[in-house]
Amino acid sequence: MSQSYEKYLREVLIDTDTLQTRITELGQEISAAYADTENLLLICILKGGVMFLTDLMRSLTIPHTIDFMAISSYGTGVRESSGRVRIDMDLKQDVAGKHLLIVEDIIDSGHTLQYILNLLDTRDPASVRICTLLSKPSRRQVHIDVDFVGFEIPDKYVFGYGLDLDEHYRNLPFIAVCNTDALTGE
Ligand code: IMP
Ligand code: MG
């Protein structure tokens, strides 16, 4: 992986201002939706959701707590999720009776979220909703009801703002489309 991300950048898909404006709006939508709710727990899906979580939290005006869960999905290659999903780190708490909002970076095939939803369902939460920064509807293999979506994006591999390219460049403050030609041979 190169020192600099520029080699892999095809275009900036969502710039910093656009991201931040939309996240502020999402914070307002979520704050309104949960205005009368006690015990709201944000569940951040690591690692990709971490930057989104921290910005989203700052735009919430309602009481909430946070917890983390790490999931890996693995398939035939970087881009293909086969539907096999594994839990690498579980929540630290019992979620029974709590209102859960899953905070995810991106929904692609939907397999990861389906796995998480099925798992959480066995733990008797009061409710479960989903907030994703990005969604690629054209890639969906399983239907997922998503309550809050930042941006619907085309079928392109993206990185930055929490999303990685081979574990790198999660720190970029914008969403970039990857020039996949630059990855060939690496
Ligand atoms: P799904 O199970 O196919 O919905 O995949 C979801 C996971 O794949 C996300 O949480 C990301 O970690 C990863 N992913 C999917 N598309 C992209 C992308 O364009 N860039 C970076 N990671 C992605
Ligand atoms: Mg993810």
Side-chain angles (χ1 to χ4, degrees):
M1 198 94 305
S2 165
Q3 286 286 343
S4 157
Y5 69 86
E6 271 101 344
K7 179 179 169 192
Y8 308 106
L9 178 82
R10 176 153 286 151
E11 57 170 324
V12 173
L13 185 66
I14 309 171
D15 66 30
T16 303
D17 282 354
T18 309
L19 268 179
Q20 293 301 328
T21 303
R22 181 69 189 122
I23 293 168
T24 303
E25 280 172 11
L26 279 174
Q28 291 163 352
E29 284 175 36
I30 292 166
S31 298
Y34 288 98
D36 302 318
T37 307
E38 283 177 29
N39 290 326
L40 173 61
L41 173 63
L42 307 187
I43 296 180
C44 175
I45 309 303
L46 295 174
K47 303 168 193 163
V50 73
M51 213 182 261
F52 179 39
L53 174 83
T54 56
D55 279 340
L56 185 66
M57 285 171 69
R58 276 177 277 207
S59 63
L60 292 181
T61 53
I62 48 168
H64 61 275
T65 56
I66 62 170
D67 205 341
F68 298 89
M69 190 181 250
I71 307 284
S72 14
S73 52
Y74 44 102
T76 47
V78 192
R79 298 216 50 196
E80 297 311 317
S81 151
S82 63
R84 277 175 295 167
V85 179
R86 186 184 64 206
I87 188 162
D88 291 332
M89 189 190 87
D90 206 342
L91 299 169
K92 292 280 180 284
Q93 61 190 276
D94 182 6
V95 296
K98 292 178 184 159
H99 292 276
L100 312 182
L101 180 63
I102 300 171
V103 179
E104 175 65 300
D105 53 354
I106 186 164
I107 308 179
D108 190 48
S109 69
H111 287 298
T112 305
L113 266 172
Q114 188 181 52
Y115 175 88
I116 295 168
L117 288 172
N118 288 341
L119 181 72
L120 292 176
D121 207 42
T122 64
R123 301 179 180 179
D124 296 319
S127 68
V128 183
R129 290 205 246 184
I130 295 169
C131 175
T132 187
L133 179 65
L134 306 174
S135 174
K136 292 182 192 168
S138 64
R139 296 262 304 167
R140 207 73 90 241
Q141 291 175 12
V142 289
H143 175 78
I144 303 283
D145 283 318
V146 190
D147 304 275
F148 307 97
V149 181
F151 303 88
E152 292 199 337
I153 63 167
D155 176 14
K156 291 179 175 168
Y157 197 83
V158 292
F159 67 100
Y161 197 76
L163 294 105
D164 70 304
L165 197 56
D166 200 13
E167 290 298 327
H168 289 70
Y169 315 126
R170 294 185 193 272
N171 58 311
L172 298 175
F174 51 81
I175 302 282
V177 174
C178 178
N179 170 16
T180 41
D181 297 342
L183 289 173
T184 325
E186 286 198 11

